[in-house]
Amino acid sequence: MQTIGGLSIENGTDRIGIHGTVDLTRDAMGLARARTLASTLSAIVTALEAVSLPEETADGARSPETVKNPFA
């Protein structure tokens, strides 16, 4: 897992999860975060381009399941 500000990037077996937020401010810290984010996303794209990929992962092809709203 990698964290950039409040953004978490988690590597799973068949997907990469990106959760949270990050502020890219107009200062040195914002620039550092932007560079880290850009290099991380570039590495992800490079890794995905290097392998043969299916159209969708097995669970990505499933229809979304409708559940009762627990707050209603």
Side-chain angles (χ1 to χ4, degrees), residues 9-37:
I9 303 171
E10 301 177 36
N11 191 15
T13 57
D14 65 346
R15 69 194 66 233
I16 295 170
I18 301 174
H19 312 277
T21 62
V22 62
D23 290 325
L24 303 176
T25 51
R26 290 181 165 260
D27 56 16
M29 182 60 72
L31 176 58
R33 286 179 177 154
R35 285 181 173 152
T36 301
L37 182 58

Side-chain angles (χ1 to χ4, degrees), residues 44-59:
I44 292 168
V45 170
T46 299
L48 289 172
E49 290 175 336
V51 296
S52 177
L53 299 171
E55 278 299 311
E56 292 185 78
T57 58
D59 66 339

